[in-house]
Amino acid sequence: MKQAVILAGGKGTRLADRLGGLPKPLIDVDGIPLLQRQIELLKDQGFRNVLVLVNHRAELIEQFLAEQQRFGIDITCIDDGEPRGTAGAVHAVIGMLQPEFLVVYGDTLFDVDLNRLWENHIGSGAEATLLLHPNDHPHDSDLVVINDDNSIARFIPYPHTDGEFHRNLVNAALYVINRRIFSQQPKDGILDFGRDFFPGCLKAGIALNGYVSPEYIKDIGTPSRLDRAISDLRRGVIERASLARKQKAVFLDRDGTLNVLNGYVRTPDDLELVPGAGRALNMFRSAEFRSIVVTNQPVIARGECSVRELNRIHAKMDTLLGAAGAFVDGLYFCPHHPDAGFEGEVSNLKVACDCRKPAIGMIERARKDFNIDLSSSWMVGDSSGDMRAARNAGVRAVLVRTGEAGNDGKFVVSPDYEFADIGEAARFITGGYHSLKSSLEEVLEGIRSGMLVRVVGRARVGKSTVAQLIVDELRSRGFSAERVGLDGFIRPLDERTDDGVVGRFDVDLARSLLDPWLRGGALLDAKMPVYLRNKRVRAGESESVTLASDAIVVVEGVVAGLIEPVSRAELLVGVTDGEARRHDRFVQEYRARSWSDDVIEKVYNERIADESWLTDSWVAQASHVVDMQSILGKELL
């Protein structure tokens, strides 16, 4: 029988104006006393025995529990007399404790998958398991250090030593404890679990386990905390955060995405966050996405960095993010590297594995640990390996133009979306996507199976973003849909003709490859070319595309208007954007190629004259025009 002990002896001094003379556990939380919410949650998750330890105004809590016959479980209220501290109070009722029991603090509002916590404790073999979580103010919090196997290594009280970096893990004050632990610890004096008891356990060599979870658990001991918790409760935030429910996540590459790419990061001194990284993570959190870092770290296998040093690097990352009030919910790294021949390499790590991206071992571990729904999740990274991993895992692939900017050339794969940096990606994922989707609802309603959708407009107005969103939404509605980006058909520099924009694209090749489908049939394993912008050549490999006869094909590109529907029903969608924003994108891309500003401006003006007469006429004929500036404002460059 699962048992819980609720520590309900607090006075609630800081909540006096809200309590009206009641003890703190009976504080009204949106119409229901906190203690009632806790007991109902425990009952719903299979707890059938609850000990409520009371002290201040004990008679009111006893009266409340006596009146609540509808709980339908065994509840015993015990006045623990003189203050003993949290651990001392629990030890005082040791004769009533089950071999394993849960400890709940009477001033916390939470919704945690307690079965996951319980099972993790049993599997760990530890004497106690502490729920740990990151928070948005680690710099002034008591922190907990865990080993690679999640056993607790030490406790770091606030204030911290200057110059030290620590992972952002805080004791959330929810424990599963084995009763026999009390026979191994001194019992005299007033003992608090967090301040005295658990640190004493470590000194005595008693094994403690850390269960890391981002689920909702908040101390509501002040009016402001109570008001925030009630707001979260009313908005459904608390319920949705439980790992008993499917979560949505943003998987994040580290090097080149979260931190500046300066070669391999081998020491904490090498780590520098990209501007806006903390703000981006806060946006993900506000939108209820789990932020999960998945990073290849071949420096471990190459012998250039130890796991201990990598943990210090990640501790610095947590510290820098924490200074911005931000944190990651989970972090997974692959220490392997398949190629041998490095001085000092670790031979047992020089293996092909299932975790090194583009394999999805890290993503799969996170999926299980956090109960993630991959179909509603994203991957943000700077390399082709990140994009291929996203494809392999079935999540939306977002390329950022920081770090490698997709120019590593290891895999031939096109991203679903592409943005300047993690900040711009976050703005789109958390807000821009929904705004754009809403503006396209009429378009989506008008699309039918087997239709050709052409997305037209000037270069760098956001055609690929619009086209991919149409594809994503059609797939979510059960349609077979594919995007064909015509940028893959850009001719290598030495093959271009003098026919302006038409001479830069091999339109005939695009038509011939799509011709079987355009004439009403299916297209099997067509090899679509890939253009490498940074090298201005075609990739040696192609992307395979298979189109069923009833598939919806969304063709986008500057010359998309030249792909005639032949025997297909079609829809023409135009895309526009503010010229200043378009110019900024153009400059940003070509500066990244080390072009001078004079050359950039010359080419920009040539392209306006070269392309606009054609693209603008197609936009004028479109049945629906998407104005990216009015829809997304300043969210995206």
Side-chain angles (χ1 to χ4, degrees):
M1 178 174 59
K2 285 185 179 178
Q3 180 187 59
V5 178
I6 301 177
L7 301 172
K11 292 183 178 181
T13 304
R14 293 175 295 178
L15 287 173
D17 291 343
R18 303 286 187 93
L19 284 166
L22 293 172
K24 183 163 61 171
L26 296 184
I27 184 73
D28 183 286
V29 181
D30 200 27
I32 299 174
L34 175 60
L35 182 59
Q36 180 177 334
R37 289 187 178 276
Q38 292 180 332
I39 292 174
E40 288 176 344
L41 179 87
L42 292 168
K43 178 184 176 181
D44 288 345
Q45 298 203 38
F47 287 81
R48 291 295 176 264
N49 180 272
V50 177
L51 302 182
V52 183
L53 307 188
V54 297
N55 189 291
H56 176 68
R57 302 303 306 270
E59 74 282 0
L60 294 180
I61 297 177
E62 291 170 348
Q63 179 183 345
F64 170 77
L65 292 174
E67 293 171 351
Q68 299 297 317
Q69 299 298 324
R70 60 190 178 85
F71 285 137
I73 59 176
D74 181 16
I75 301 175
T76 304
C77 192
I78 303 169
D79 188 342
D80 58 12
E82 62 186 40
R84 295 183 174 89
T86 54
V90 174
H91 179 261
V93 296
I94 191 169
M96 302 181 70
L97 298 176
Q98 296 290 326
E100 310 281 347
F101 59 94
L102 179 76
V103 174
V104 175
Y105 282 45
D107 59 358
T108 55
L109 180 66
F110 63 95
D111 192 344
V112 171
D113 187 343
L114 298 174
N115 291 313
R116 276 179 174 253
L117 170 61
W118 192 277
E119 290 168 8
N120 181 271
H121 168 73
I122 300 301
S124 73
E127 299 300 300
T129 292
L130 287 64
L131 189 147
L132 311 176
H133 61 183
N135 72 12
D136 57 8
H137 55 100
H139 54 278
D140 61 4
S141 299
D142 295 335
L143 301 176
V144 183
V145 178
I146 60 175
N147 299 311
D148 294 337
D149 62 355
N150 283 355
S151 61
I152 293 177
R154 62 189 177 116
F155 296 92
I156 303 174
Y158 172 78
H160 312 147
T161 303
D162 289 342
E164 285 190 356
F165 299 124
H166 303 291
R167 296 301 310 276
N168 182 353
L169 285 178
V170 178
N171 180 359
L174 189 67
Y175 318 127
V176 182
I177 296 176
N178 191 303
R179 183 180 59 196
R180 63 175 173 262
I181 198 172
F182 290 108
S183 66
Q184 306 172 55
Q185 268 286 77
K187 309 173 187 63
D188 297 332
I190 298 175
L191 293 177
D192 176 79
F193 275 120
R195 186 181 60 249
D196 311 304
F197 189 80
F198 290 135
C201 286
L202 288 187
K203 289 179 181 178
I206 299 171
L208 302 178
N209 174 49
Y211 174 74
V212 181
S213 172
E215 293 168 286
Y216 195 100
I217 177 167
K218 300 288 186 185
D219 165 8
I220 58 171
T222 68
S224 61
R225 292 175 187 169
L226 175 62
D227 290 341
R228 283 198 300 270
I230 291 174
S231 174
D232 291 340
L233 187 67
R234 289 174 176 173
R235 293 184 293 118
V237 172
I238 298 176
E239 181 181 14
R240 289 191 296 271
S242 170
L243 294 186
R245 297 160 184 85
K246 286 292 185 181
Q247 306 291 298
K248 56 184 182 180
V250 178
F251 296 99
L252 298 160
D253 174 54
R254 196 195 76 181
D255 300 322
T257 303
L258 274 178
N259 61 271
V260 176
L261 187 65
N262 290 321
Y264 286 117
V265 176
R266 298 177 175 87
T267 71
D269 290 341
D270 298 334
L271 186 112
E272 174 190 357
L273 294 181
V274 300
R279 185 166 60 251
L281 291 177
N282 283 331
M283 293 176 69
F284 292 139
R285 174 158 52 105
S286 295
E288 299 180 39
F289 283 94
R290 300 299 182 199
S291 296
I292 312 290
V293 174
V294 286
T295 175
N296 292 347
Q297 289 301 313
V299 288
I300 305 297
R302 289 160 55 130
E304 298 168 359
C305 177
S306 66
V307 172
R308 181 177 181 180
E309 191 71 357
L310 182 65
N311 288 335
R312 292 186 63 233
I313 292 167
H314 289 151
K316 180 180 180 181
M317 183 183 75
D318 277 5
T319 301
L320 296 178
L321 289 172
F327 54 83
V328 297
D329 295 297
L331 187 151
Y332 299 81
F333 68 89
C334 169
H336 306 108
H337 191 265
D339 300 329
F342 296 90
E343 184 177 353
E345 65 186 18
V346 182
S347 58
N348 65 317
L349 296 178
K350 305 299 289 186
V351 296
C353 62
D354 65 356
C355 54
R356 179 177 169 83
K357 294 177 294 185
I360 62 171
M362 290 185 286
I363 294 175
E364 272 297 300
R365 283 176 56 200
R367 182 187 66 78
K368 295 175 182 176
D369 290 347
F370 290 88
N371 195 19
I372 292 170
D373 175 14
L374 295 179
S375 68
S376 61
S377 298
W378 302 69
M379 172 80 197
V380 181
D382 69 311
S383 73
S384 63
D386 295 325
M387 299 302 98
R388 179 61 63 82
R391 284 275 187 276
N392 292 340
V395 301
R396 294 180 177 94
V398 177
L399 179 71
V400 289
R401 293 189 294 274
T402 50
E404 298 280 5
N407 295 323
D408 54 294
K410 293 181 179 178
F411 303 96
V412 174
V413 58
S414 298
D416 295 324
Y417 301 93
E418 183 175 338
F419 301 111
D421 53 28
I422 189 174
E424 192 172 278
R427 289 191 289 276
F428 180 76
I429 292 170
T430 62
Y433 185 95
H434 179 75
S435 298
L436 189 56
K437 171 188 170 183
S438 297
S439 75
L440 287 166
E441 200 59 48
E442 184 179 342
V443 172
L444 293 166
E445 289 296 324
I447 297 176
R448 298 290 179 265
S449 293
M451 183 176 281
L452 171 68
V453 180
R454 294 185 291 172
V455 180
V456 296
R458 294 186 180 187
R460 294 169 190 83
V461 293
K463 297 184 300 299
S464 61
T465 298
V466 170
Q468 186 61 46
L469 189 144
I470 290 173
V471 168
D472 285 345
E473 288 304 310
L474 289 172
R475 288 173 176 170
S476 72
R477 300 177 189 199
F479 291 98
S480 171
E482 294 290 341
R483 172 168 69 100
V484 175
L486 295 184
D487 279 3
F489 294 87
I490 296 176
R491 296 178 187 272
L493 197 60
D494 59 356
E495 295 181 13
R496 298 179 185 178
T497 69
D498 296 328
D499 297 329
V501 63
V502 177
R504 290 198 300 278
F505 286 82
D506 194 339
V507 179
D508 289 340
L509 176 60
R511 286 172 178 155
S512 65
L513 287 175
L514 291 172
D515 187 67
W517 183 86
L518 292 169
R519 294 187 180 279
L523 186 65
L524 302 177
D525 198 27
K527 304 300 182 185
M528 299 291 174
V530 175
Y531 180 73
L532 304 177
R533 287 183 176 275
N534 62 317
K535 298 180 180 179
R536 307 181 85 180
V537 298
R538 283 227 179 103
E541 299 178 52
S542 303
E543 286 190 287
S544 295
V545 173
T546 296
L547 305 175
S549 60
D550 63 347
I552 298 164
V553 177
V554 183
V555 176
E556 56 89 6
V558 173
V559 293
L562 296 176
I563 304 299
E564 298 86 358
V566 189
S567 61
R568 292 282 179 177
E570 74 145 340
L571 189 67
L572 191 64
V573 178
V575 183
T576 63
D577 201 353
E579 195 59 30
R581 285 157 47 96
R582 198 173 81 88
H583 176 267
D584 286 347
R585 276 198 210 95
F586 193 94
V587 171
Q588 186 183 80
E589 177 178 338
Y590 284 92
R591 277 180 178 168
R593 300 189 200 179
S594 300
W595 288 26
S596 70
D597 286 352
D598 289 344
V599 173
I600 292 172
E601 289 302 317
K602 178 177 181 292
V603 172
Y604 175 75
N605 291 319
E606 288 175 351
R607 294 288 172 85
I608 290 178
D610 182 43
E611 298 173 355
S612 60
W613 66 274
L614 192 61
T615 57
D616 291 359
S617 66
W618 288 329
V619 171
Q621 300 170 44
S623 59
H624 188 93
V625 176
V626 181
D627 181 0
M628 298 290 272
Q629 179 161 282
S630 66
I631 295 168
L632 300 179
K634 296 182 179 180
E635 286 185 331
L636 306 178
L637 281 177

